[in-house]
């Protein structure tokens, strides 16, 4: 095929320039590094695979395991810096790295606290806003100071809404958690559910910032980066262990969400073309109902093939699902679950 | 369809017959064979060697050997177009892409899992439109605004067609869209082989001028279609059978025949 | 188990009731430790007198129970193994050790632990690269594994015990390599199906018993007359797990002997030895992380290279396959994978390019780890053999 490895002519903004480096990560999904490796067929660019330890809950809590994981990540990051310096022919600007990483960590903290505010009843901020705003933290680019100010403004706005009981969804009847990747092509769908009083108060674990930890005493910026990143996983281990849950990330966070954000139900969105992001959803569905009496509505879809998502059918089922949510609300009340 | 080609030792086609298809008909391949024999004025014992190919190849009781349709198609197409490098065969039940070098098959891709991109796709959708399969090509030629059929699945495409028609889209534009959908699917699959000219299109669907046109557009090369695109596999099988016989004779060896009887094909025995 | 059967007939007997010996030993008080995939270091189990028992799927058994825990669009082998677990077929295991081989494998581990909750369970993380810090991390992972094993068994695991187990497993590996030597003649002295069954059998036995069985098979096969018929094509089969024989048998029926493999109930699991290092865990870590050849680990020609040369990269990753092809006089390579295996799937284009560069014919087939799903592959395999023979 003549255009393989070329930039498609219709690519937005003229397409991406040919990369000097393919930076992949062994985190969560195998495609992240195997795909970049396979791209070698078309791009004569080196590939670097960043490491992130994937421990089980019990193993992650073993004595010394946390420190070892951080040590490993820091060593890997140091190797990576050396590699970058060689590749680019210039030295790392440590002050700049310090500044950037602090901004990112800070930004994520503000964003985390913003999402904490969504625990309020009525919920002041809806999932649609989450999906519009999460990119700045997850893919930080451009002017970080401006970005940080945006998140601070957002926080202030959401806080104001909480104080004044301004609801994101005017008649908040049901509070829901959504997982995982949304139907980007049909976000309007959430509005239709909002009309029915469905308020999406929290969503997809991997897109939420990690639980903040105090990193001010950590001198080495690489260690700060490592601890901040590993927190996505480790931040849930202790609670997960207490609850006897084994899937510390991907799985357990939804139990915490359901409890702390007081969810009546979950909307799960399995995808064919991103299986890693969603192949745990059956398990999540089971854990939610077993542990917390929170039922799930499963709406299959895709982020590539629009035809796999049927909004009309989902809406029809949503109507029936309301009865299910009502039922489990009673069950939770009887079991003294508190919401 | 059941096809039979009888070839002489000199390589001439003595007779060729295309018999009907369907589960019951397929079982009666022996009748198609008999018809071919009758036309060639030959009796069955006079046939030196029989090659069976295609889906039913394993169950033909009157064959001496079975060779896959991939090898047979490549051989047959190369006998008709010696310069062929890429062949696409769209049959009723599957679609194949063949990479051919100096008349020999060197690589292939195939779709035998799903009706999309096969003749079955057109059969089903033509029925939805109330049209005859053989008229689709002529109808699509009238199209001025081809619609895009986005469903790759035959069942969903059917629903899409119905909704398009209800929107008032002209039938010829829908038909042209269907041809385009098949071409996208089959050419996309064949691209894995790196399409190089000369490109030949065969199989029942190659009789549909609309599909040929759509394939030509996608490939951006001339696409050749043999005069009888259904027969290239059978012709290839006959040539391979002839090669086996002539090879054995040349080496002074007996022709490697099997116990065979001109009987009905047995499935699920 | 009958005392009399030996060699291949014993292999058949074990494969027909694979857990038989393990259950017998369990009755005698031995603890049985299930392991998933080829990454948990078996030496650490053998050293503590635990029986390492490979958790496999069953392509002849329809998946029913696992469909409630994992979607149908993930690795059907993982689903099948989990399904057997949920159906109670692995209930005789005293514990399970799992490793982070791939993403679905990781999640299956947690699902297994949740629903089957064995008395002992350990999940070993495996880095994705072979960078130096990754090797260190893996040693540390093995140290943690050692800790939980010792607390489970109540025994101390000393370097001497480990060294002894390493020797025993290395001996078994050298026997497997000898078994593979018997595939080199034409026709081979042992068939592809017989090799899979033999390896499956020894993955269900204590290491020394497995080695004894290998010795019996090797001597039996070396002496038997007309064991395997001549077939015109000699194949190497590469890819994801093959733990049963239908695919190999189909190839044999179509006129090919499978004489070599790069799969994990095969050479991949057994070929590399463990080097004895002062701290045995280091040798183990190196063998399991660096020497094992599963595409789940990211490897490149030069660590930290800043320029990429595609062909050099391919050579560094795949030249062992053309070495196999030469040594076993292979005429074609079948690349196969279970559907939805990302790590094997992404490897195929590059491996295909490499095989093209060394002039080895190859074809790629995908299946759903289901005996019935193999039939449609017949035409593809047959056409591939026709290409090789033409």
């Amino acid at each position: 095929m003549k255009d393989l490895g070329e930039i498609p002519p219709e690519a937005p903004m003229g397409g991406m320039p040919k990369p000097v480096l393919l930076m992949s990560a062994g985190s969560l999904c195998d495609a992240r590094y195997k795909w970049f490796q396979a791209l070698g067929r078309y791009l004569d660019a080196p590939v670097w695979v960043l490491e992130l330890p994937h421990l089980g809950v019990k193993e992650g809590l073993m004595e010394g395991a946390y420190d070892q994981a951080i040590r490993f990540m820091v060593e890997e990051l140091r190797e990576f810096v050396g590699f970058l310096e060689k590749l680019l022919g210039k030295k790392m600007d440590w002050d700049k790295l310090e500044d950037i990483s602090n901004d990112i960590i800070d930004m994520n903290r503000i964003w985390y606290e913003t999402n904490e505010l969504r625990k309020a009843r009525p919920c002041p901020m809806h999932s649609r806003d989450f999906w519009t705003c999460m990119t700045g933290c997850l893919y930080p680019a451009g002017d970080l100071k401006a970005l940080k100010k945006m998140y601070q403004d957002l926080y202030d706005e959401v806080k104001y809404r909480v104080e004044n009981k301004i609801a994101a969804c005017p008649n908040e009847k049901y509070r829901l958690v959504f997982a995982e990747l949304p139907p980007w092509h049909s976000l309007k769908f959430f509005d239709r559910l909002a009309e029915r009083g469905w308020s999406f108060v929290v969503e997809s674990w991997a897109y939420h910032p990690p639980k903040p930890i105090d990193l001010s005493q950590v001198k080495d910026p690489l260690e700060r980066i490592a601890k901040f990143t590993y927190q996505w996983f480790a931040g849930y281990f202790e609670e997960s262990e207490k609850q006897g849950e084994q899937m510390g990330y991907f799985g357990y966070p939804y139990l915490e969400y359901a409890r702390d954000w007081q969810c009546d139900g979950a909307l799960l969105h399995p995808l064919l073309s991103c299986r890693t992001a969603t192949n745990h959803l059956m398990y999540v569905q089971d854990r939610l109902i077993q542990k917390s009496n929170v039922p799930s509505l499963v709406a299959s879809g895709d982020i590539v093939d629009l035809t796999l998502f049927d909004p009309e059918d989902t809406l029809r089922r949503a109507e029936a699902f309301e009865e299910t949510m009502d039922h489990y609300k009673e069950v939770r009340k009887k079991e003294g679950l508190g919401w | 369809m059941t096809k039979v080609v009888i070839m002489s030792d000199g390589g001439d086609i003595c007779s060729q017959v295309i018999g009907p298809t369907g589960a019951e008909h397929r079982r009666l391949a022996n009748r198609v064979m008999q018809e071919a024999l009758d036309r060639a004025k030959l009796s069955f014992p006079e046939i030196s060697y029989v090659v069976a190919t295609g889906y039913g190849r394993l169950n033909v009781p009157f064959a001496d050997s079975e060779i896959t349709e991939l090898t047979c198609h490549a051989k047959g197409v190369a006998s008709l177009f010696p310069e062929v490098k890429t062949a696409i065969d769209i049959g009723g039940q599957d679609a194949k892409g063949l990479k051919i070098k100096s008349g020999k098959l060197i690589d292939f891709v195939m779709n035998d899992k799903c009706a999309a991109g096969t003749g079955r796709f057109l059969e089903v959708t033509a029925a939805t439109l109330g049209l005859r399969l053989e008229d689709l090509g002529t109808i699509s030629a009238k199209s001025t605004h081809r619609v895009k059929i986005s469903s790759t699945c035959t069942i969903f495409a059917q629903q899409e067609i119905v909704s398009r028609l209800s929107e008032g889209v002209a039938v010829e534009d829908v038909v042209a869209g269907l041809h385009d959908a098949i071409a996208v699917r089959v050419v996309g699959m064949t691209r894995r082989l790196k399409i190089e000219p000369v490109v030949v299109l065969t199989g029942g669907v190659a009789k549909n001028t609309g599909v040929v046109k759509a394939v030509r557009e996608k490939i951006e090369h001339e696409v050749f279609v043999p005069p009888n695109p259904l027969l290239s596999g059978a012709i290839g099988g006959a040539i391979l059978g002839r090669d086996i016989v002539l090879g054995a004779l040349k080496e002074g060896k007996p022709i490697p025949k099997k116990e065979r009887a001109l009987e009905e094909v047995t499935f699920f025995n | 188990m009958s005392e009399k059967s030996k060699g291949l007939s014993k292999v058949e007997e074990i494969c027909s009731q694979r857990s038989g010996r393990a259950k017998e030993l369990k009755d005698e008080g031995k603890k049985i430790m299930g392991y998933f995939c080829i990454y948990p270091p078996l030496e650490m189990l053998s050293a503590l007198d635990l029986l390492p028992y490979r958790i496999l799927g069953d392509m002849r058994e329809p998946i029913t129970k696992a469909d409630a825990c994992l979607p149908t669009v993930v690795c059907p082998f993982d689903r099948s193994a989990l399904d057997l677990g949920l159906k109670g077929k692995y209930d005789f295991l005293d514990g399970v050790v799992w490793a982070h081989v791939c993403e679905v494998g990781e999640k299956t581990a947690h699902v297994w632990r949740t629903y089957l909750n064995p008395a002992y369970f350990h999940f070993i993380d495996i880095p994705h690269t072979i960078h130096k810090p990754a090797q260190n991390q893996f040693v540390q992972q093995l140290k943690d594994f050692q800790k939980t094993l010792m607390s489970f068994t109540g025994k101390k695991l000393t370097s001497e015990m480990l060294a002894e187990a390493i020797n025993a497993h290395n001996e078994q590996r050298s026997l497997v390599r000898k078994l593979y030597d018997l595939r080199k003649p034409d026709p081979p002295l042992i068939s592809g199906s017989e090799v899979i069954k033999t390896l499956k059998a020894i993955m269900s036995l204590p290491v020394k018993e497995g080695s004894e069985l290998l010795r019996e098979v090797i001597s039996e096969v070396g002496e038997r007359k007309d064991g395997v018929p001549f077939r015109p094509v000699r194949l190497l089969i590469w890819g994801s797990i093959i733990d049963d024989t239908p695919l190999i048998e189909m190839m044999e029926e179509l006129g090919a002997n499978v004489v070599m493999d790069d799969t994990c109930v095969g050479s991949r699991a057994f070929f590399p030895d463990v080097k004895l290092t002062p701290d045995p865990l280091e040798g183990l870590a190196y063998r399991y992380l660096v020497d094992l050849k599963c595409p789940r680990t990211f490897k490149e020609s030069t660590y930290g290279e800043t320029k990429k040369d595609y062909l050099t990269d391919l050579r560094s990753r795949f030249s062992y396959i053309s070495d196999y092809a030469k040594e076993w006089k292979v005429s074609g390579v079948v690349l196969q994978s279970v559907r939805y295996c990302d790590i094997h799937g992404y490897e195929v284009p590059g491996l295909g390019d490499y095989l093209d560069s060394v002039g080895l014919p190859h074809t790629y087939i995908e299946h759903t780890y289901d005996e019935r799903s193999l039939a449609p592959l017949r035409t593809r395999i047959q056409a591939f053999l026709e290409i090789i023979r033409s």
Side-chain angles (χ1 to χ4, degrees):
Chain A
M1 196 168 162
K2 65 177 190 305
D3 52 351
L4 283 180
E6 301 293 322
I7 291 149
E10 68 277 18
M13 295 185 275
M16 281 173 69
K18 280 229 172 191
V20 289
L21 165 69
L22 294 167
M23 185 175 86
S24 58
S27 56
L28 303 178
C29 94
D30 299 332
R32 281 177 209 272
Y33 66 104
K34 291 307 291 182
W35 172 44
F36 273 27
Q37 187 177 32
L39 271 180
R41 206 178 193 206
Y42 307 112
L43 302 166
D44 282 336
V47 183
W48 186 274
V49 179
L50 285 167
E51 290 275 20
L52 183 65
H54 292 64
L55 304 185
V57 170
K58 285 202 162 65
E59 293 78 10
L61 292 170
M62 283 177 74
E63 201 192 329
Y66 178 85
D67 291 342
Q68 173 55 33
I70 298 301
R71 205 176 310 134
F72 171 40
M73 289 176 74
V74 170
E75 282 171 15
E76 280 291 335
L77 287 171
R78 217 175 296 292
E79 296 266 313
F80 182 50
V81 169
F83 167 78
L84 283 178
E85 289 179 337
K86 205 167 94 185
L87 176 76
L88 303 170
K90 59 180 174 189
K91 285 281 163 200
M92 170 61 79
D93 182 341
W94 291 97
D95 290 339
K96 197 171 172 187
L97 178 69
E98 173 100 22
D99 200 33
I100 290 174
S101 53
N102 287 347
D103 278 341
I104 291 176
I105 291 167
D106 225 26
M107 217 153 78
N108 271 276
R109 180 189 49 77
I110 301 168
W111 182 220
Y112 176 87
E113 284 163 4
T114 310
N115 281 296
E116 289 289 293
L117 292 171
R118 295 169 70 196
K119 289 175 178 171
R121 274 178 190 268
C123 177
M125 186 186 124
H126 189 268
S127 263
R128 268 201 79 163
D129 294 315
F130 174 88
W131 291 115
T132 335
C133 300
M134 61 101 197
T135 41
C137 270
L138 212 56
Y139 309 102
D143 185 343
L144 294 184
K145 306 281 179 218
L147 204 51
K148 197 160 98 180
K149 183 172 181 308
M150 190 281 285
Y151 278 107
Q152 187 59 53
D153 291 350
L154 179 71
Y155 175 85
D156 293 343
E157 185 185 339
V158 175
K159 189 150 190 288
Y160 174 83
R161 292 175 71 100
V162 173
E163 282 158 1
N164 294 280
K165 294 201 173 305
I166 306 171
C169 172
N171 306 301
E172 180 174 294
K173 204 167 164 214
Y174 301 101
R175 296 169 64 90
L176 287 107
V177 49
F178 174 86
E180 288 277 348
L181 281 168
W184 297 115
H185 42 78
S186 313
L187 284 180
K188 233 178 133 185
F189 172 73
F190 284 107
D191 294 346
R192 312 246 326 247
L193 290 173
E195 286 166 17
R196 302 191 60 87
W198 288 37
S199 182
F200 285 89
V201 296
V202 65
E203 51 289 291
S204 315
W205 153 74
Y207 289 81
H208 266 258
K211 291 181 184 173
I213 38 172
D214 181 13
L215 296 168
S216 59
Q217 303 307 310
V218 180
K219 291 233 161 48
D220 179 358
L222 296 182
E223 187 178 329
R224 227 171 295 146
I225 293 171
K227 286 189 163 162
F228 168 75
T229 308
Y230 189 52
Q231 185 66 3
W232 250 288
F233 293 179
Y236 290 94
F237 284 169
E238 268 178 44
E239 271 304 308
S240 191
E241 170 70 2
K242 269 188 218 155
Q243 309 271 333
E245 287 297 313
Q246 307 296 352
M247 204 182 278
Y249 41 92
F250 273 132
Y252 170 71
Y254 292 98
L255 286 178
E256 203 168 293
Y257 289 172
R259 184 192 66 206
D260 295 352
W261 274 260
Q262 305 207 327
C263 297
D264 298 299
L267 179 63
L268 309 180
H269 184 226
L271 312 169
L272 184 63
S273 54
C274 189
R275 301 190 305 274
T276 302
T278 57
N279 55 21
H280 52 282
L281 288 180
M282 295 173 95
Y283 178 82
V284 166
Q285 180 179 11
D286 179 67
R287 300 323 289 156
L288 280 173
I289 198 80
Q290 295 294 338
K291 280 276 177 88
S292 309
N293 285 301
V294 171
S296 301
L297 176 66
V298 179
S300 294
D302 205 71
I303 42 174
V304 178
D305 186 348
L306 315 192
T307 61
L308 294 178
F309 181 65
D310 187 340
E312 293 310 319
D313 174 62
T314 310
L315 276 173
R316 267 194 302 277
R317 291 193 294 128
E319 215 175 313
F321 185 64
E322 287 173 2
E323 280 180 41
T324 314
M325 288 195 284
D326 291 339
H327 167 74
Y328 279 101
K329 192 174 228 151
E330 291 304 312
V331 175
R332 286 195 302 276
K333 209 180 273 170
K334 267 184 215 147
E335 297 197 357
L337 276 170
W339 77 96
Chain B
M1 307 264 180
T2 303
K3 304 105 182 175
V4 173
V5 165
I6 299 179
M7 189 172 278
S8 73
D9 55 352
D12 299 321
I13 293 175
C14 310
S15 74
Q16 54 188 48
V17 178
I18 299 173
T21 187
E24 186 55 20
H25 289 121
R26 190 196 280 186
R27 205 163 56 78
L28 302 175
N30 58 327
R31 295 207 187 150
V32 186
M33 181 70 180
Q34 190 57 54
E35 197 187 328
L37 287 166
D38 293 346
R39 283 199 202 173
K41 298 190 173 57
L42 290 165
S43 67
F44 187 61
E46 286 177 88
I47 303 294
S48 314
Y49 198 82
V50 181
V51 170
T53 187
Y55 279 83
R57 69 182 186 280
L58 300 174
N59 312 76
V60 180
F62 51 87
D64 293 300
S65 67
E66 46 119 341
I67 300 175
T68 62
E69 54 271 34
L70 295 142
T71 299
C72 290
H73 270 292
K75 196 77 185 172
V77 169
S79 76
L80 301 165
F81 301 90
E83 300 298 315
V84 64
K85 288 211 172 68
T86 311
I88 299 173
D89 182 87
I90 315 176
Q93 301 159 70
D94 71 0
K96 309 181 260 287
L98 310 173
K99 182 105 183 155
I100 301 170
K101 200 175 162 187
S102 315
K104 271 186 183 167
L105 178 67
I106 55 166
D107 202 358
F108 61 86
V109 283
M110 67 191 293
N111 161 30
D112 53 7
K113 290 187 187 119
C114 162
T118 73
R120 186 88 193 122
F121 177 79
L122 285 184
E123 251 174 68
V124 171
T125 47
T128 309
L129 291 164
L131 300 174
R132 293 193 316 166
L133 204 52
E134 51 270 39
D135 296 337
L136 294 183
T138 335
I139 292 169
S140 70
K142 292 183 213 140
S143 164
T144 47
H145 298 90
R146 179 169 76 199
V147 298
K148 191 166 164 48
I149 306 289
S150 50
S151 304
T152 44
C153 169
T154 308
I155 307 298
F156 290 148
Q158 240 177 321
Q159 295 171 359
E160 205 174 330
I161 291 166
V162 173
S163 76
R164 280 316 175 86
L165 290 176
S166 69
E167 285 164 18
V169 173
V171 173
E172 58 265 28
D173 291 335
V174 171
V175 175
L178 292 171
H179 293 159
D180 195 58
I182 281 216
V184 166
R185 180 104 180 175
V186 174
V187 172
M189 174 184 84
T190 311
R191 278 200 206 285
R192 273 181 263 160
L193 300 174
K194 298 187 182 83
I195 297 173
E196 286 175 274
V198 170
V199 183
V200 177
L201 186 65
T202 62
V205 175
K207 289 170 96 172
N208 178 330
T209 48
V211 175
V212 178
K213 181 169 167 269
V215 169
R216 196 170 285 151
E217 262 176 44
K218 307 285 165 245
I219 293 186
E220 297 173 8
H221 280 303
E222 184 53 71
V223 170
F224 297 93
V225 180
N228 201 335
L230 272 126
L231 279 176
S232 45
I235 293 173
I239 296 172
L240 288 164
R242 176 176 164 267
D243 288 351
I244 291 169
V245 171
L246 295 182
L249 291 177
K250 198 174 160 194
E251 290 179 25
K253 287 184 185 159
I255 298 166
K257 283 194 201 185
K258 276 201 186 134
E259 237 357 75
R260 55 173 147 97
L262 193 51
E263 284 169 0
E264 288 183 6
V265 174
T266 49
F267 290 103
F268 316 114
N269 46 353
Chain C
M1 186 160 304
S2 73
E3 289 298 314
K4 281 176 196 154
S5 64
K6 283 185 87 173
L8 286 172
S9 57
K10 188 165 175 186
V11 165
E12 284 292 341
E13 202 178 305
I14 293 172
C15 287
S16 68
Q17 179 50 273
R18 196 165 72 89
S19 56
R21 181 62 183 146
K23 286 173 179 164
E24 232 173 62
L25 289 165
K26 189 180 167 80
D27 289 343
E28 291 167 21
K30 199 174 173 89
K31 287 216 167 19
I32 319 298
M33 188 69 80
Y35 67 97
F36 187 80
C37 205
I38 56 172
Y39 278 82
L42 308 185
E43 292 82 348
M44 297 172 72
L45 303 174
S46 296
L48 284 164
D49 199 31
L50 298 161
L51 164 56
Y53 186 91
R54 176 103 181 245
I55 294 174
L56 296 170
D58 184 353
M59 67 191 308
R60 298 170 203 252
E61 160 121 18
I63 296 168
T64 50
K65 290 204 157 184
D67 283 347
C69 316
L70 285 174
T72 51
V73 294
V74 302
C75 173
F77 167 74
D78 278 29
R79 285 170 55 232
S80 173
L82 176 66
D83 192 60
L84 297 183
L86 294 168
K87 285 170 178 163
K89 299 200 174 169
Y90 286 115
D91 282 357
F92 63 93
L93 299 175
D94 293 286
V96 170
V97 50
W98 211 287
H100 177 209
V101 281
C102 58
E103 179 265 327
V104 179
E106 179 196 8
K107 280 183 182 147
T108 312
H110 302 324
V111 171
W112 188 293
R113 199 176 197 169
T114 302
Y115 296 119
L116 293 162
N117 195 23
Y120 171 86
F121 193 102
H122 192 96
F123 181 75
I124 306 173
D125 181 38
I126 316 171
H128 282 102
T129 68
I130 56 172
H131 299 163
K132 196 74 190 126
Q135 294 180 32
N136 293 340
Q137 165 73 1
F138 195 46
V139 173
Q140 296 306 320
Q141 280 293 298
L142 297 188
K143 287 201 168 137
D144 283 351
F145 178 41
Q146 182 179 15
K147 273 187 216 160
T148 61
L149 275 178
M150 292 197 300
S151 95
F152 174 64
T153 55
K155 289 186 205 164
K156 201 169 153 40
L157 179 55
T158 64
S159 294
E160 292 72 34
M161 288 156 78
L162 261 179
E164 200 187 316
I166 288 170
N167 285 332
H169 279 274
N170 277 347
E171 191 191 5
Q172 184 173 85
R173 290 173 187 130
S174 80
L175 288 164
V176 171
R177 291 192 298 266
K178 273 192 189 129
L179 184 77
Y180 272 62
D181 283 341
L182 303 175
R183 308 176 85 173
K184 287 177 180 169
D186 195 23
L189 301 180
I190 183 163
S191 74
S193 324
E194 287 169 332
V195 169
I196 286 188
K197 284 185 206 162
T198 307
L199 298 184
K200 202 167 154 179
I202 65 172
M203 287 172 161
S204 329
L205 298 175
V207 57
K208 288 191 175 155
E209 280 182 35
S211 297
E212 193 45 44
L213 180 60
L214 279 167
R215 279 193 198 90
E216 289 169 15
V217 171
I218 291 167
S219 94
E220 176 187 343
V221 166
E223 283 164 21
R224 74 175 167 180
K225 302 277 173 263
D226 20 285
V228 183
F230 169 81
R231 294 187 176 97
V233 177
R234 294 170 62 86
L235 290 177
L236 182 154
I237 184 157
W238 171 92
S240 59
I241 188 163
I242 300 178
D243 58 2
D244 205 345
T245 54
L247 187 62
I248 309 288
E249 281 159 7
M250 182 199 289
M251 292 174 185
E252 288 171 350
E253 250 175 67
L254 293 170
N257 274 317
V258 176
V259 297
M260 189 49 192
D261 65 68
D262 178 25
T263 55
C264 67
V265 180
S267 69
R268 208 181 268 176
F270 289 96
F271 271 29
D273 272 337
V274 175
K275 281 188 190 70
L276 265 179
T277 45
D279 177 357
L281 290 186
E282 285 183 9
L284 282 173
Y286 193 87
R287 188 262 182 189
Y288 282 89
L289 180 65
V290 182
D291 287 339
L292 285 189
K293 296 279 196 292
C294 179
R296 58 85 51 211
T297 308
F298 178 87
K299 290 178 182 169
E300 56 190 338
S301 53
T302 322
Y303 174 25
E305 66 195 338
T306 52
K307 282 215 173 64
K308 193 105 203 160
D309 171 353
Y310 184 47
L311 201 57
T312 309
D313 186 60
L314 292 181
R315 268 188 215 121
S316 76
R317 284 159 59 197
F318 302 124
S319 63
Y320 71 95
I321 294 176
S322 58
D323 292 345
Y324 287 167
K326 264 178 229 143
E327 263 192 80
W328 276 266
K329 297 186 227 44
V330 162
S331 39
V333 181
V334 175
L335 310 177
Q336 64 81 36
S337 174
V338 287
R339 191 173 298 168
Y340 306 121
C341 177
D342 287 339
I343 53 175
H344 280 93
Y346 278 112
E347 201 85 336
V348 169
L351 178 50
D353 286 348
Y354 174 73
L355 295 173
D356 283 341
S357 80
V358 294
L360 266 171
H362 55 91
T363 194
Y364 174 60
I365 54 174
E366 212 175 71
H367 57 93
T368 52
Y369 190 77
D370 170 353
E371 200 187 8
R372 290 158 304 171
S373 78
L374 299 177
L377 298 176
R378 205 186 161 89
T379 299
R380 286 158 213 250
I381 293 168
Q382 192 179 350
F384 177 58
L385 299 181
E386 286 165 359
I387 289 175
I388 293 174
R389 293 179 65 182
S390 72

